[in-house]
Amino acid sequence: MFGLRPVELSAAERLRGRGHRVLTPDLFAGSVVAGHGSAPALEDGFALMERIGWDTIMARARAAVRDLPADTVLGGFSMGVGVIGSLWPDRLAAAGVFLLHATTIVPEGIPLGTPVQAHVAAGDRFAPPDQLAAYQASSAHARAEATLHSYPGTGHFYTDSSLPDHDPDATHRTWQHIDGLLHWTRSRRHLPHRTGADDVAVEALDR
């Protein structure tokens, strides 16, 4: 809800450097919350998100991924995880999903063993125990190959080097895990029912 910022764009470049094609849809159409001397204020992010409206955000997200292969990997940062939660039921063939700084419900009907990763700060108020439990229960019900990675001593948006939340070690470990997920999905491209699994759509809205 701060808009498309360097943290998402640099993540996309990192993935491109590993040979993936990456889409970072600008769901706020250029609007970004600026920091007032340091980090952006949460209330400003909420206000921007509410001004644009969830229906508009999701319409832009659906338009952005409409022509991508059905098994494109989905990835989201914080509020972008909510975008994935709304998109995923219509894109059940996604080859994999990674969720940063929040969790969502894993929908029924995904391919057996779909790899799903969630990465959150331990004790994060934006990833409370009931949401973590719902993620794990829905993952088991959908028979996903799901993992939950929790990082003690970090802030909510620990992958963003511009914020006080940042933790370099947790960030490094997070991207190592995501690299593993993407490597696995790429290896599946040689199977008849998988094509284009190295495409990645990062829903790049944060918090």
Side-chain angles (χ1 to χ4, degrees), residues 28-103:
F28 283 6
S31 295
V32 178
V33 175
H36 301 291
S38 56
L42 280 175
E43 57 268 25
D44 292 341
F46 280 116
L48 176 60
M49 182 182 69
E50 291 172 4
R51 178 169 61 81
I52 294 171
W54 190 251
D55 289 345
T56 297
I57 291 169
M58 287 310 307
R60 290 171 177 169
R62 291 189 177 96
V65 302
R66 183 173 297 130
D67 297 327
L68 296 181
D71 59 354
T72 296
V73 173
L74 302 175
F77 288 74
S78 199
M79 200 206 81
V81 171
V83 175
I84 287 179
S86 294
L87 280 179
W88 200 354
D90 297 323
R91 298 189 64 88
L92 294 174
V97 174
F98 59 90
L99 313 168
L100 278 72
H101 315 301
T103 61

Side-chain angles (χ1 to χ4, degrees), residues 88 104-108 110 131-144 146:
W88 200 354
T104 191
I105 298 296
V106 178
E108 296 183 43
I110 62 174
Q131 291 184 12
L132 300 182
Y135 162 74
Q136 292 176 304
S138 62
S139 297
H141 185 71
R143 302 179 72 184

Side-chain angles (χ1 to χ4, degrees), residues 165-176:
D165 289 352
H166 182 54
D167 186 291
D169 180 64
T171 298
H172 176 71
R173 286 185 286 138
T174 294
W175 286 109
Q176 279 190 317

Side-chain angles (χ1 to χ4, degrees), residues 106-167:
V106 178
E108 296 183 43
I110 62 174
L112 177 66
T114 297
V116 183
Q117 292 182 3
H119 300 268
V120 299
D124 187 356
R125 65 189 176 103
F126 293 105
D130 61 330
Q131 291 184 12
L132 300 182
Y135 162 74
Q136 292 176 304
S138 62
S139 297
H141 185 71
R143 302 179 72 184
E145 190 68 33
T147 53
L148 174 62
H149 302 271
S150 180
Y151 301 89
T154 64
H156 167 65
F157 209 115
Y158 64 83
T159 61
D160 189 342
S161 61
S162 72
L163 299 179
D165 289 352
H166 182 54
D167 186 291

